């Protein structure tokens, strides 16, 4: 029998001390790989993945783009460091902390709430730890990943953050979450 | 529901995560072209009952354009391939040939051949 979900509503919190750096370049390049590992201590993720080390994460966005997610106060020095390490190689390193928002989702039945609004397969064997999945949440473009079953992250454009928050709240009303996964 | 595998992300993306870009492999007509050729490039599109090569964009994902070979009658997908090409790769042609004998000729990519 399905578990009761009443009283286990997951909560969405906006993280306001998160910095983000957009990193575009030739991801196969040795210079790039070395520069990133040396500057952040995190290895460059393979396709569709996110790698995390302590408080720094690197997500694979597209074949020529990475997203560095780290504490806001470290953004400035890291950009300088990366620019220096990349030398003359053609790259775009850009502080986009004000462009996107990161949410932390905590609680039980997170997969259920997300599944109401996204077309992706959220089964435990498909959406695994370390997966970074860019998709749609309601009408907006987002990306999901998780640290544990009860702690997920969602990233979206800052201008659409209010929509994301309201949609999540509506979808996670007590008593309106089915137990599926 | 149409589901396509994005050749860049390797994930099966749902139709609602994608944006259709219409016919693939168009030959671009520039300022030196005749009015007829330019009109054709701008407005005239194939509308086959059967195999079509199309452009799609993974809009809610990596944001890249890619190409798809599918059947307009059955919605069968023969495969997807990256956009940096003038013609479908051999594996796509093989797939079309094995499932739609005869229809691999006269695909909309044939028009682009002189361009490649």
């Amino acid at each position: 029998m399905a578990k009761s979900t009443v009283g286990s509503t997951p909560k969405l919190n906006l993280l306001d001390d998160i910095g983000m750096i957009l990193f575009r370049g030739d991801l196969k390049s040795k210079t790039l790989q070395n520069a990133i590992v040396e500057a952040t201590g995190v290895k460059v993720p393979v396709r569709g993945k996110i790698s995390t080390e302590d408080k720094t994460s690197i997500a694979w966005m597209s074949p020529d783009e990475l997203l560095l997610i780290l504490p806001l106060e470290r953004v400035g020095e890291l950009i300088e460091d990366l620019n220096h390490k990349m030398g003359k190689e053609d790259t775009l390193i850009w502080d986009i902390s004000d462009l996107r928002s990161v949410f932390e989702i905590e609680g039980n039945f997170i997969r259920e709430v997300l599944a109401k609004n996204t077309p992706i397969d959220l089964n435990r064997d498909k959406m695994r730890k370390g997966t970074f999945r860019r998709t749609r949440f309601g009408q907006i473009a987002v990306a999901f990943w998780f640290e544990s079953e009860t702690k997920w992250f969602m990233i979206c454009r800052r201008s659409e953050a209010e929509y994301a928050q309201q949609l999540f709240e509506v979808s996670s009303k007590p008593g309106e979450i089915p137990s599926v996964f | 529901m149409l589901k396509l595998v994005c050749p860049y992300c390797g994930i099966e993306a749902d139709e609602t995560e994608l944006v259709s870009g219409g016919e693939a492999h168009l030959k671009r007509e520039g300022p030196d072209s005749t009015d007829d050729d330019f009109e054709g490039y701008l407005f005239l599109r194939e509308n086959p009952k059967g195999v079509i090569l199309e452009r799609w964009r993974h809009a809610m994902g990596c944001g890249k354009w890619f190409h798809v070979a599918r059947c307009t009658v059955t919605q069968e997908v023969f495969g997807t391939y990256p956009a940096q090409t003038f013609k479908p790769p051999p594996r796509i042609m093989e797939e079309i040939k094995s499932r739609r004998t005869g229809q691999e000729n006269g695909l909309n990519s044939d028009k682009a051949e002189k361009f490649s």
Side-chain angles (χ1 to χ4, degrees):
Chain A
M1 210 179 93
K3 281 179 285 180
S4 168
T5 63
V6 179
S8 328
T9 315
K11 291 275 179 290
L12 187 81
N13 302 308
L14 180 68
L15 300 177
D16 50 12
D17 53 351
I18 293 280
M20 280 162 278
I21 301 171
L22 177 143
F23 195 114
R24 252 175 206 261
D26 175 10
L27 302 191
K28 291 192 187 87
S29 131
K30 275 261 151 57
T31 320
L32 183 147
Q33 300 260 349
N34 291 340
I36 288 191
V37 173
E38 280 171 27
T40 63
V42 185
K43 64 177 196 314
V44 177
V46 294
R47 186 167 86 165
K49 299 285 178 191
I50 183 166
S51 44
T52 306
E53 209 65 64
D54 197 24
K55 283 182 175 163
T56 309
S57 297
I58 303 181
W60 187 95
M61 296 290 274
S62 79
D64 59 355
E65 187 182 335
L66 297 172
L67 182 70
L68 280 59
I69 305 156
L70 64 161
L72 190 57
E73 70 269 10
R74 287 198 48 221
V75 170
E77 58 172 297
L78 186 59
I79 289 180
E80 219 165 273
D81 194 13
L82 283 171
N83 268 322
H84 175 71
K85 286 199 164 69
M86 289 305 293
K88 287 210 166 95
E89 195 163 308
D90 200 11
T91 40
L92 170 69
I93 302 169
W94 184 27
D95 178 3
I96 55 159
S97 309
D98 295 336
L99 193 88
R100 298 200 184 127
S101 292
V102 182
F103 288 105
E104 184 185 63
I105 309 168
E106 278 183 307
N108 297 312
F109 306 105
I110 297 173
R111 285 178 193 267
E112 276 81 352
V113 175
L114 298 181
K116 284 181 170 187
N117 298 299
T118 168
I120 66 173
D121 189 346
L122 283 165
N123 262 314
R124 283 165 198 266
D125 54 343
K126 286 278 169 55
M127 183 73 193
R128 290 188 186 155
K129 190 155 186 232
T131 304
F132 182 82
R133 181 63 153 92
R134 297 183 76 178
T135 181
R136 175 174 75 79
F137 184 65
Q139 298 179 34
I140 62 172
V142 297
F144 300 125
W145 76 98
F146 65 89
E147 204 176 279
S148 70
E149 276 305 316
T150 52
K151 190 171 179 183
W152 286 53
F153 295 94
M154 179 166 84
I155 193 163
C156 72
R157 286 191 196 95
R158 198 164 282 263
S159 58
E160 293 167 342
E162 199 183 338
Y163 171 89
Q165 194 139 21
Q166 288 175 357
L167 182 61
F168 191 91
E169 276 161 20
V170 168
S171 317
S172 60
K173 276 188 189 164
E176 293 186 14
I177 309 172
S179 170
V180 185
F181 299 107
Chain B
M1 184 67 80
L2 192 60
K3 282 183 164 186
L4 303 173
V5 175
C6 171
Y8 304 106
C9 302
I11 54 170
E12 194 179 50
D14 179 279
E15 196 179 331
T16 58
E17 292 177 82
L18 306 163
V19 169
S20 168
E23 189 182 329
H25 304 298
L26 293 177
K27 179 182 180 293
R28 180 158 187 242
E29 302 290 346
D32 300 332
S33 62
T34 64
D35 283 357
D36 279 352
D37 285 346
F38 189 69
E39 185 207 12
Y41 160 62
L42 212 52
F43 301 113
L44 305 181
R45 295 290 179 266
E46 297 288 317
N47 186 19
K49 188 176 177 185
V51 182
I52 189 171
L53 305 171
E54 283 180 318
R55 301 166 72 223
W56 284 81
R57 182 172 173 255
H58 194 187
M60 296 276 182
C62 65
K64 305 288 182 208
W65 286 96
F66 61 93
H67 288 164
V68 178
R70 73 176 175 101
C71 177
T72 56
V73 181
T74 61
Q75 291 283 44
E76 247 175 296
V77 176
F78 301 104
T80 57
Y81 52 102
Q84 291 74 25
T85 173
F86 295 107
K87 269 190 262 185
R91 65 178 169 88
I92 301 286
M93 292 309 288
E94 280 307 309
E95 197 59 35
I96 296 173
K97 218 181 269 181
S98 68
R99 282 147 76 175
R100 292 285 189 287
T101 311
Q103 282 197 39
E104 74 274 13
N105 303 313
L107 284 174
N108 45 293
S109 62
D110 291 353
K111 289 189 294 181
E113 233 165 77
K114 51 184 169 176
F115 191 58
S116 55

